[in-house]
Amino acid sequence: MIDIASPLRLRLDSVALVRNWQWLAAQGGKACGAAIKAGGYGLGARKVMQHLAAAGCRDFFVASWVEAAALIPLAGEVSLSVLHGVGESDMVAARTLPAKPVLNSAEQVVRWRQAGEGRPCDVMVDTGMNRLGLRVEEALGGALDGLVIDTLLSHLASADEDSAQNAQQLAAFQTVRQRVAARRYSLANSAGICLGADYGFDLTRPGLALYGGVPRPEAAGHIRQVAFPEARVLQIRDVRAGETVGYGATWTAPADGRVAVANMGYADGYLRCHAGQGGATWQGRELPLVGRVSMDLIAFDAGDADGLAEGDWLALDYDLPSTAARSGLSQYELLTGLGARFERHWL
């Protein structure tokens, strides 16, 4: 096979990933799992699982059975749960793979009771999000009778805000906990962990904060950046004063200078909303993004980057909280949108 290097790479800090998990585990007070759906939020689910399992994490969550199958064999003695439950077409996978379904509806409960061969499952109860999960009255009304429930879960809808809904969901979940038997109970995501120990129960399920996202102000200063996108310079161009750069001629050179054209664009998850506010650095020098973001190419003002040349690597400005604030994208979108053309390099 020909060895061809990609012009895009993600430098991924395994130490930061593990320390983020350790801080989150300390805040929750009990066992701390990890949401590794969407390919480990775009970083690579298998590697994330390996690093966190080596650090002591034992509970992992993915969205679908396809995601679960991609992680086999598992990284040691760990538990894997499939958050979207088990549809009729999923039963073969659910009975074959070493993973538990998180049952989300009365129909899924019936399906698992009839064909799950008595195996343990997890169950999601909806305490106010109205997305997935049995309604509280269904859970309390006997719909779960006869199941061997490993973990009973719910999910906070507004934990990243100071919302009255948080306390309402907590109270509803406490009621379910008192009346539905399970080995463990789990409510808090990354933001929920920051709400305090009352939300921790037996198992927390962080996602965003593991990967460098800051879900609430309480986590600022504790969560470290994990993903560092970089793009290789394709060409250095001289531009004259008054010339424009890119589609729509949205940027005009104020003086004679240079621009660095890099192999990246919205096809890689670097969207057009970054135009006019994004940037990169090279050897400590700032290179503002100029012109529009196109599918595969972007341009940076390299007038103050003497020595920058074709083949050099630019580090994108990609601090998640500040990039989210200026772009209008969520921290989740910034992570999971980074495309397959980025080579993942764990450090």
Side-chain angles (χ1 to χ4, degrees):
M1 180 180 293
I2 300 174
D3 186 15
I4 302 175
S6 171
L8 294 172
R9 66 189 183 193
L10 272 180
R11 289 190 299 107
L12 299 168
D13 189 338
S14 61
V15 173
L17 173 75
V18 169
R19 289 184 178 175
N20 289 344
W21 177 77
Q22 291 170 334
W23 183 82
L24 292 159
Q27 307 315 300
K30 297 289 180 68
C32 182
I36 57 172
K37 58 186 180 176
Y41 283 51
L43 277 60
R46 177 170 291 280
K47 284 291 189 180
V48 169
M49 174 183 269
Q50 290 172 350
H51 288 304
L52 293 182
C57 183
R58 292 294 175 264
D59 298 278
F60 295 89
F61 297 84
V62 294
S64 69
W65 291 98
V66 171
E67 291 186 342
L71 293 170
I72 306 304
L74 300 179
E77 297 297 320
V78 300
S79 169
L80 183 63
S81 297
V82 178
L83 290 164
H84 292 181
V86 58
E88 186 173 350
S89 62
D90 299 321
M91 286 303 301
V92 172
R95 287 195 296 253
T96 304
L97 296 176
K100 302 189 303 292
V102 180
L103 305 181
N104 288 295
S105 66
E107 292 79 9
Q108 290 189 4
V109 168
V110 171
R111 184 175 297 122
W112 191 250
R113 185 184 286 119
Q114 292 176 345
E117 302 170 341
R119 294 170 55 182
C121 61
D122 295 341
V123 172
M124 177 71 71
V125 176
D126 173 41
T127 55
M129 192 168 193
N130 272 312
R131 197 172 61 172
L132 292 178
L134 282 79
R135 298 185 69 87
V136 169
E137 54 267 30
E138 290 178 306
L140 300 182
L144 303 177
D145 292 350
L147 292 181
V148 180
I149 303 175
D150 185 85
T151 306
L152 188 76
L153 306 85
S154 191
H155 194 70
L156 295 164
S158 304
D160 55 349
E161 306 169 11
D162 292 327
S163 169
Q165 188 179 25
N166 296 324
Q168 294 166 1
Q169 286 194 257
L170 175 62
F173 191 65
Q174 288 171 330
T175 297
V176 175
R177 181 191 184 192
Q178 292 167 0
R179 294 178 54 183
V180 178
R183 185 174 73 90
R184 298 183 303 182
Y185 300 85
S186 176
L187 177 62
N189 54 6
S190 293
I193 291 170
C194 297
L195 292 176
D198 287 348
Y199 290 80
F201 291 90
D202 303 305
L203 172 68
T204 56
R205 313 186 310 273
L208 176 69
L210 292 172
Y211 309 107
V214 179
R216 287 183 57 92
E218 294 89 341
H222 301 285
I223 296 300
R224 302 185 181 198
Q225 186 169 348
V226 177
F228 299 84
E230 297 181 340
R232 194 169 63 201
V233 174
L234 177 63
Q235 184 183 33
I236 300 293
R237 296 185 62 88
D238 293 324
V239 293
R240 299 189 180 107
E243 291 184 338
T244 61
V245 172
Y247 284 121
T250 59
W251 184 80
T252 302
D256 292 350
R258 302 190 312 156
V259 296
V261 180
N263 281 270
M264 188 175 67
Y266 55 75
D268 305 296
Y270 194 79
L271 304 183
R272 296 179 74 172
C273 58
H274 292 288
Q277 53 194 349
T281 58
W282 177 75
Q283 296 186 354
R285 303 172 202 179
E286 297 183 359
L287 290 81
L289 180 67
V290 296
R292 287 183 180 169
V293 176
S294 50
M295 183 181 292
D296 310 294
L297 298 168
I298 49 177
F300 297 92
D301 184 347
D304 293 329
D306 292 340
L308 179 66
E310 174 187 329
D312 288 339
W313 288 91
L314 304 178
L316 297 184
D317 297 339
Y318 218 72
D319 172 75
L320 291 175
S322 59
T323 304
R326 71 169 182 256
S327 68
L329 300 172
S330 72
Q331 297 178 71
Y332 299 87
E333 291 170 294
L334 291 170
L335 279 172
T336 61
L338 293 171
R341 293 195 291 192
F342 281 93
E343 287 185 349
R344 272 69 174 167
H345 295 273
W346 285 94
L347 308 178

